[in-house]
Structure formats: C-alpha cells, structure tokens
Amino acid sequence: MTTQTDRPDFNPGDALRAMERHQPILWLDLTGQVRTTTPGFSALWGKDAIFEVSGPAPWAQLAGGEPQNRQGVLCTPDGRRHAALGQYLPIRDADQRVTGIALTVTPRAPAARPGEFAAMIDLAPAAMALLDGDFRLVHCNGALAKLLGRDRAELMGRALEDLVAEGEPELPPADCARLQQRSISLLQIERRLRRGPGETRNTWAQIHLSHVETGGAEDQARFVAQFQDVSEQREVQHIKSNFVATVSHELRTPLTSIKGALGMIGGTMADADPSRTERLLSIAVKNCDRLTLLVNDILDMEKISSGQSRFHLAEAPIWTLLEQAEVTNQPFGREHGVTFALSEAPREAWVRVDVERFQQVMSNLMSNAAKFSPDGSTVMLSCGVSEGHVTISVTDCGPGIAPEFREKIFMPFSQADDSSTRAKGGTGLGLNITRQIVERMGGEIGFENHNAGGCTFWVRLPEIAPTTRAEREIERIGDGTRRPMVLHVEHDRDFAEVLRMAFDRRAVVTHAVTMADAAWYARQNPFDLVLIDWDGIQTGGTNLLNVIEAMQPGVPIYGLSTRDAAVDPRVRRNLIKSRVRLEQMVDAFAARPNADHAVRVA
C-alpha cells in the first residue's frame, strides 16, 4: 500500500522529472496553446502531435480551477488519427492562482472482440447477454441468470423471445429488422420476463438491444442485450393505480350524492323562496358540476393513458349519435349564449364506438366551441362519408387556434397563455382525453382554422356495415298498473337514499348493502329492475347475477357504479355515476304519465 512519507531521501522534484520522462503530457497556457510537451509524450506520439477536442472547449471551466475530461482525436505527425480521451488538470502557483494546464491524452482501446467482450460482460453487475444475428443467446452473465431464476447453461441457444413471459407482446418485427439492417443502432422495449420453475415473482425489465462491433465474420455475436429490472417501478405504478381507484370511489360517489340531493331540494324549495334559495342552490349545483368535471378529467387521463379504461365498442348509426349530442349539450350552449345546430348528415352511415365515450368526445368539442364563440352565434355539427370513413365536424365562430399553440393543443394541461383564454375555465385535459378516446376507437382527430374566422375540429372514424342494431337506450320498466319494484345494490347508504328519493313515487326501491342481502331479496320478491354498484362487490357480481337469473329470468339488470367494470353479457348497460344525471335516469326508467317509451341518458 502506498502512503505519504516525510523521509529525507524523498525528493518531489525528482518524482516530477521522472513523471515528465515517462508520462505523455502536454503543458498548455490558459488559451489552450501548447507551450511544451513531456519527453514521454514526444517519444510516444511525436513532438508535433496534437489533440483536437470534440465539442465545446473547456478553457473557461479550467480557468475557474475545475478539472475537465473531453473526448477528441489525437493527430500524429505520420497522419494517423486516434480516438482519445483528454484529461485536463489546472496548474496552480503558490497563491493558488491557475497559471497553466496539464493535458494527459489516453487513446481509446479498439473495439473488443467477442471473447474479450464476453469476459467484460461476466464481470458486469447488470444483466447482459450476447446474441447472434437471429437474436439467440450465445453468451450471458450470472446477473441475467439470477434475474431469470435459471442456470446460465439452460439459457444458451434460446431465442430472446423465449425469455419473455407468456401473454406478453412479441418483439416488434419491424424494429428488429431495422436493427439487423443497421437502420437503427438501439432498440428499447419493456416486457415481463419468463422466470424459472417455482419462481412466482413478476419480473419486468427494460431491454436495450444494440450492435456489437466485432472483428471478423466468423464471430457469432452480433448484438448485446442489457436487461434493466424495472419491477419496483412497476409496483409503484400499481400502487398509484390503486390510489387512483380509491380516489375514484371516495370522490365520485359523495359528489354524485351531493349533486342529486341539491337538485331535488332545488325542485321542492324554489317555490317557497325563489329569489334566494333557487339562486344559492343553482350556485351549489354548478360548482358540483365543475368539481365533478375536474375529477373526471384527472381520472380519465390516468386510466385511459395507462390502458386501464375499458371501452365497450358497439355498432351505432352516426346520425342518432349526433342527434343525441345536439340535444344533450344544448343547455351548456344556452348558458354561453350559443346554439348548436346539426346540419343534414348521412343517415345510413354506421360506426363502431363506445357510445358513452363518443358522447364524451362530442361534449368536449362542443363545450370548447361554445366557450370560444361570441354570444348569439351558432356552432354547427356536420358529418360526411368519404373513402370508407365517417368525418364528424364541430365548427365554431371563435378566434381560431393561435399559431404558437397549434403543436401543443392536444397535450395534457395545455391552455393558451392569454388571460382571455384562461378566463374560459377548464383543466386543459379535455382535448388530450378526447384524442386518446378517438385513437382507442380506431379514429383520428385534427383541426383547421378558417380564413374568415372560426375553427373546425374534426373526428374521422372507420365506416362499418352494421351487423346488429343493439340499442343503447334505457327501456321503461313496469306495466303502468302499479309502481315498479327496483332492487338497488349499493354499499354507500347516502347515495342509496338519494336514489330512493329520486324515484320518489314512481317506483319502490329496495336497498341491499351486501351481495348476500341482494341475493336474499331476489329470492323473496319479484323486481322490475336491478341496479348494481360494482364497487361493493369483490367477486365481480357473478354469483349475484346467477341468483337473479335463476330466480327472476329476464329482469333487466344495469350497472350503476363509479368505474368501468367488465360487463357481464347479462348486464344491459353499465352507467357511470358521475356521468349520468339522476333525474334523466329516473325519467328513463320510470316515466311520468304520457311519456315516450324510451329516453336517452347522457
């Protein structure tokens, strides 16, 4: 071990002169000019050899006393050029002022041959492997074997795809081909790995594939693969998703209860004190709407972008969908002094969409158009069919999209910076969510400004030939001779009370807190309608549906929940609490006298 010494026979000057004789060093001034070279440098590279820096010069940092490393090229007097590393060290005088620079130049080693590369991989702490031209393992290190819970010998000769867990997407063939053809130098994918027998832990890895620069055609290795364990990050994401689900339940249900209760109070108390009570309740309901929209946007963005949101695609005529969008959004238009008008559209065109998500898209586009259009104007809805696609357009009379904002308009939390735009409100998530929904339904979205003013947002979806005419409307219950019987399975007692009061004298609502209670009621009494909150049922409700099907075949069953659940075929429709208006839903199920036989629910 080397230690410092104060022996009288140790002379630092002798040590410095010995270093100058043997070490390849250039002495530079503070501008980078070479003042002299050590004998070691001249003997190794020639007195006139120079080092060319790649990238910005380091002189400013060195003058401040900071050592620097730079990649560059060493040019020798015989015309050869060598990739090298330059290590710059500031030289200080007795007063600690930087007076010069010592530059040590170290040539970079040539590319390692596979045997040497394999030896280096064996010592690497990261999980790594060498692959042949067909992406089969020709060598792997112990870190990879440990990550997979297997022996190294067992992995030799296996295809890279064999290391990926069953059910995971295959390696992207187009990207793999480009890597083989050297059109790209790096391919990164994330996959769950297939672990050895008895290994139960899910292991996720970021796999980095790149070329190996080898020295001869006889070498087998063509690619190096590095596996970065990202299982912990995945677990954090899972915890985050569970948190989002909890927020969904804990916020959406109380908001829906508050909104429903306030709406009914407004209907019963307005006559008693119309000048004060109605105004206050209107403000409360309006702010509940704003808070519900905010929560919906945040949760929708998270669930859709993570792939957790379920889309229930169904065939539907585009004309019917647009009519529903026009009627549903008219109240919002009136609030902003704008009228929505639907121009003639092809009634024979059909699309395959998630109907509720499609209406969410239309509401986002139409509300934006209304907010940015002047009072008294008309926002036009139109539709056309061309080359196998249906294009829906929403055209406003506003100022259009500013040029500097065009590229950011579909990004999350995007809002134009001027104060007049921000005064319109909104989370800045609506268009990002809209684009994700449209793309999940196989479509595309865009916009264009008009020279005369205004802007058109368009959505293009594939046109289909309808095979079924499954309706999404809610059908009336009961035969008109008695009040219908409703079984409501709901673990939140407050919301259950609000729903019971919403039905009021139009139906008799029986509330069941647990699945066992609901099964007991289903065996005892005939029902005309069953509403189920999936949040309170851990097993997905299959057992309860079996009991209802056996005891009361044909009774209509609907979900009424805070989340998109996997809908059993026996469930006619899954309604999302924060997206359905209780008064409209009640009108749809239990009509007032002389009402139509079916009503759409927003």
Side-chain angles (χ1 to χ4, degrees):
M1 184 173 74
T2 303
T3 60
Q4 291 185 343
T5 178
D6 56 0
R7 288 170 45 194
D9 57 342
F10 175 77
N11 189 326
D14 291 341
L16 180 60
R17 284 188 289 274
M19 183 181 73
E20 288 187 339
R21 284 195 300 272
H22 299 288
Q23 293 296 320
I25 300 174
L26 295 92
W27 302 106
L28 314 176
D29 63 19
L30 295 183
T31 66
Q33 297 296 316
V34 178
R35 293 307 181 192
T36 185
T37 61
T38 63
F41 184 90
S42 299
L44 186 60
W45 303 114
K47 184 177 180 180
D48 296 326
I50 59 173
F51 178 68
E52 296 179 352
V53 178
S54 299
W59 316 129
Q61 295 93 329
L62 289 163
E66 301 177 16
Q68 298 289 309
N69 291 338
R70 289 290 190 277
Q71 299 290 341
V73 177
L74 180 66
C75 304
T76 57
D78 59 5
R80 290 182 297 166
R81 296 170 64 86
H82 309 269
L85 173 68
Q87 297 172 290
Y88 296 84
L89 182 67
I91 304 300
R92 301 176 183 271
D93 61 13
D95 296 324
Q96 295 301 305
R97 293 176 301 181
V98 177
T99 58
I101 301 166
L103 170 60
T104 303
V105 180
T106 306
R108 291 170 56 188
R113 296 182 62 81
E116 299 169 344
F117 207 168
M120 290 188 288
I121 283 177
D122 287 341
L123 298 175
M128 300 179 71
L130 291 174
L131 313 176
D132 64 14
D134 296 321
F135 299 103
R136 291 185 175 276
L137 274 70
V138 296
H139 187 81
C140 73
N141 64 3
L144 178 59
K146 181 179 179 181
L147 181 66
L148 296 172
R150 302 186 183 193
D151 293 327
R152 292 175 65 178
E154 179 190 353
L155 297 173
M156 292 302 99
R158 286 184 176 271
L160 180 60
E161 285 196 340
D162 291 342
L163 308 186
V164 175
E166 193 171 355
E168 284 292 297
E170 64 178 2
L171 302 181
D175 290 338
C176 289
R178 286 200 293 269
L179 187 67
Q180 290 172 319
Q181 297 162 5
R182 292 182 174 267
S183 299
I184 58 175
S185 59
L186 176 66
L187 174 60
Q188 300 182 66
I189 54 175
E190 184 170 307
R191 295 290 187 272
R192 184 166 55 91
L193 301 181
R194 187 196 304 268
R195 292 174 56 80
E199 299 284 347
T200 57
R201 182 175 69 91
N202 277 335
T203 299
W204 289 84
Q206 187 84 34
I207 305 173
H208 306 260
L209 289 172
S210 57
H211 298 283
V212 174
E213 301 297 338
T214 58
E218 73 281 359
D219 300 322
Q220 276 188 290
R222 289 290 178 269
F223 306 100
V224 60
Q226 181 172 338
F227 299 75
Q228 180 184 356
D229 189 351
V230 294
S231 304
E232 186 173 342
Q233 293 93 311
R234 279 275 180 164
E235 180 62 24
V236 170
Q237 181 62 38
H238 178 68
I239 294 172
K240 178 183 175 184
S241 298
N242 286 342
F243 170 75
V244 169
T246 301
V247 170
S248 173
H249 166 65
E250 296 298 329
L251 288 180
R252 278 180 168 169
T253 296
L255 282 172
T256 308
S257 299
I258 293 170
K259 183 179 174 183
L262 288 174
M264 285 184 294
I265 292 172
T268 58
M269 293 182 61
D271 291 339
D273 191 358
S275 62
R276 180 175 177 84
T277 305
E278 188 173 2
R279 173 59 179 162
L280 292 175
L281 291 176
S282 174
I283 292 172
V285 171
K286 185 175 181 179
N287 280 275
C288 277
D289 285 340
R290 292 177 59 188
L291 185 55
T292 300
L293 178 62
L294 170 64
V295 173
N296 284 343
D297 281 352
I298 294 174
L299 296 176
D300 280 345
M301 184 190 69
E302 169 64 25
K303 294 180 71 176
I304 295 174
S305 61
S306 65
Q308 296 180 359
S309 185
R310 298 179 183 274
F311 279 65
H312 309 295
L313 301 182
E315 299 170 357
I318 192 64
W319 174 259
T320 303
L321 295 175
L322 294 180
E323 276 189 324
Q324 181 179 353
E326 180 192 18
V327 172
T328 301
N329 290 281
Q330 285 294 2
F332 186 89
R334 287 194 296 270
E335 186 178 326
H336 289 78
V338 170
T339 301
F340 295 115
L342 174 60
S343 64
E344 189 64 28
R347 295 178 178 268
E348 70 280 1
W350 283 60
V351 290
R352 182 173 172 80
V353 296
D354 183 309
V355 175
E356 291 183 4
R357 292 294 186 183
F358 178 85
Q359 293 301 333
Q360 185 179 354
V361 167
M362 295 304 300
S363 293
N364 284 342
L365 297 181
M366 294 169 70
S367 63
N368 277 351
K371 286 188 289 187
F372 291 98
S373 292
D375 285 351
S377 61
T378 299
V379 173
M380 296 300 302
L381 310 184
S382 60
C383 178
V385 178
S386 176
E387 298 180 351
H389 287 83
V390 176
T391 301
I392 303 102
S393 300
V394 179
T395 303
D396 63 40
C397 302
I401 308 301
E404 65 274 11
F405 189 58
R406 292 173 66 92
E407 294 185 1
K408 300 186 296 182
I409 193 165
F410 290 110
M411 295 174 62
F413 302 105
S414 292
Q415 288 182 313
D417 290 333
D418 61 275
S419 58
S420 62
T421 299
R422 292 189 178 275
K424 303 295 183 180
T427 62
L429 296 174
L431 286 177
N432 175 262
I433 294 169
T434 297
R435 183 180 67 175
Q436 293 191 64
I437 292 174
V438 170
E439 291 176 350
R440 284 286 296 273
M441 295 190 300
E444 56 182 329
I445 185 172
F447 66 91
E448 58 183 31
N449 286 334
H450 303 298
N451 294 332
C455 178
T456 295
F457 275 83
W458 52 263
V459 172
R460 187 172 295 123
L461 297 167
E463 183 186 15
I464 65 165
T467 56
T468 64
R469 286 184 172 268
E471 294 293 333
R472 300 278 294 193
E473 290 86 357
I474 289 178
E475 297 295 331
R476 299 285 187 232
I477 58 174
D479 55 12
T481 62
R482 58 178 177 80
R483 283 200 292 168
M485 304 289 291
V486 177
L487 174 60
H488 183 206
V489 185
E490 169 64 62
H491 69 291
D492 188 287
R493 297 179 186 274
D494 289 339
F495 181 73
E497 179 67 13
V498 169
L499 184 74
R500 185 187 65 79
M501 294 175 65
F503 273 99
D504 195 22
R505 301 181 184 86
R506 293 191 241 174
V508 178
V509 180
T510 300
H511 174 217
V513 177
T514 67
M515 188 169 61
D517 292 343
W520 187 86
Y521 284 125
R523 292 186 180 96
Q524 303 301 314
N525 305 308
F527 289 98
D528 300 287
L529 171 67
V530 178
L531 298 173
I532 301 176
D533 178 8
W534 309 112
D535 292 321
I537 301 177
Q538 300 299 324
T539 61
T542 302
N543 294 340
L544 175 58
L545 293 176
N546 291 340
V547 171
I548 295 173
E549 184 179 42
M551 301 304 299
Q552 303 190 37
V555 63
I557 304 171
Y558 290 80
L560 181 58
S561 180
T562 63
R563 60 186 173 93
D564 293 331
V567 177
D568 187 286
R570 293 169 290 188
V571 179
R572 297 194 178 185
R573 183 174 170 185
N574 194 47
L575 303 172
I576 307 301
K577 286 180 178 178
S578 60
R579 299 199 182 283
V580 70
R581 294 184 178 275
L582 287 184
E583 51 274 27
Q584 289 184 3
M585 185 189 74
V586 171
D587 284 345
F589 280 126
R592 294 184 177 92
N594 301 322
D596 295 334
H597 75 285
V599 175
R600 296 180 185 276
V601 176

